[in-house]
Amino acid sequence: MQSVKAKATPTPSPGFTAPWPHRHILDLDAFSPQDIETVLSLAQSMKQVLQREVKKVPSLRGKTIITCFHEPSTRTRISFETAGKLLSADVINMQATGSSVEKGESLVDTLLTLQATACDVLVLRHPHAGAPYLAARWLHRTSVVNAGDGTHAHPTQALLDIFTLREHLGTLEGRTIVIVGDIAHSRVARSNLWGLVRLGMRVVLCGPPTLLPWDLLNGRKETPGHPFATVEVETDLDKALEGADAVMALRLQKERMQTGLIPSLREYIALWQVNEHRLTRARPGALVLHPGPMNEGVEISPGVAHGASSVIQEQVTNGVAVRMALLYLLCTAQERHP
Ligand code: CP
């Protein structure tokens, strides 16, 4: 395993002027490889800030960030709040439960209300695919960040996954990652596909046929230049793992399944759990990722989840650094292009 040491990059300051074309962060299909590099490079500097004794910097003083979550979250909500506070922004958290959403207020009215409080960035999680796109259409003074919309996209999770892979593997060109589990319902897998394919990684999707994203994969081979033409599908996890540099396990999202899509949990564990025995098929030192939350003992064994190959806790730390970078880029782009 090749390890990449953090470069000595300067502390980010309002003078950072990387070209940043995005007013909103909706999904990685809109990101060029250069955009991804810009985020990763700034996140590296932000990670150095996180390692200081005094972690707070004044970069976003005077800015207001609202997190608006219509679904449960631990990692995403807390890391956005931490990221904003470490950059000295004011951060306000709103959860649909306990808000006027419960009195019947529409999503658009809620969004316009939040914008009217002079909020600079709105971080939105919603059970319906497309909700952040609706927000971006209505909001003209506030940047929108998609913090997960239904089964569609989770771009900031994908960026922190890519950051973590890059820290350990260096270049991703030609490297192999296996993404295994409930891919059909995974917004994390969809956003990762855009980013990983753009950076030249070989991606193998693995799971029961009922949990593979056929909507996304159908037709990709027939369409010349389709971005997912190179994505491979393998239902046998032992075969998929042969020589892999990394494996990402995904949770069974029972809350999004309309019907029973697996014969039994016992069979699922027997065939698709990432465990110590299976991991021996991957390259020595292959990385184990999981976006969380985990169901230990189901998609991943406790020994692997907390073993030497696991970078799951690093993903959480890197999530703060990546989200600091994104908040910084959005707020400074607003200043350059009001
Ligand atoms: N990975 C992720 O989105 O986790 P949370 O649901 O805890 O935010």
Side-chain angles (χ1 to χ4, degrees), residues 96 99-110:
S99 77
S100 289
V101 172
E102 293 194 333
K103 299 178 198 164
E105 187 169 61
S106 73
L107 177 61
V108 168
D109 281 338
T110 301

Side-chain angles (χ1 to χ4, degrees), residues 54-171:
V54 178
K55 303 177 188 69
K56 204 159 175 123
V57 291
S59 310
L60 297 189
R61 200 161 46 199
K63 298 288 181 183
T64 302
I65 295 158
I66 297 183
T67 67
C68 176
F69 276 57
H70 292 244
E71 274 189 343
S73 169
T74 300
R75 282 147 282 270
T76 312
R77 197 185 66 72
I78 299 294
S79 61
F80 266 113
E81 183 176 354
T82 306
K85 285 181 171 169
L86 291 180
L87 292 171
S88 300
D90 293 308
V91 184
I92 294 142
N93 296 310
M94 184 203 132
Q95 280 174 280
T97 313
S99 77
S100 289
V101 172
E102 293 194 333
K103 299 178 198 164
E105 187 169 61
S106 73
L107 177 61
V108 168
D109 281 338
T110 301
L111 297 169
L112 291 173
T113 300
L114 297 177
Q115 177 176 254
T117 65
C119 145
D120 295 290
V121 180
L122 178 77
V123 179
L124 179 64
R125 171 169 287 190
H126 202 277
H128 294 150
Y133 293 76
L134 181 74
R137 274 217 307 276
W138 277 85
L139 303 185
H140 302 294
R141 298 192 304 276
T142 299
S143 291
V144 177
V145 179
N146 183 356
D149 62 329
T151 59
H152 173 241
H154 197 349
T156 66
Q157 175 72 43
L159 286 166
L160 75 88
D161 293 337
I162 292 167
F163 182 90
T164 306
L165 288 164
R166 280 276 295 263
E167 273 203 322
H168 286 270
L169 299 177
T171 177

Side-chain angles (χ1 to χ4, degrees), residues 1-24:
M1 179 175 64
Q2 184 188 345
S3 202
V4 175
K5 292 230 164 20
K7 282 191 230 145
T9 42
T11 301
S13 73
F16 182 85
T17 54
W20 185 249
H22 304 285
R23 187 163 185 85
H24 309 287

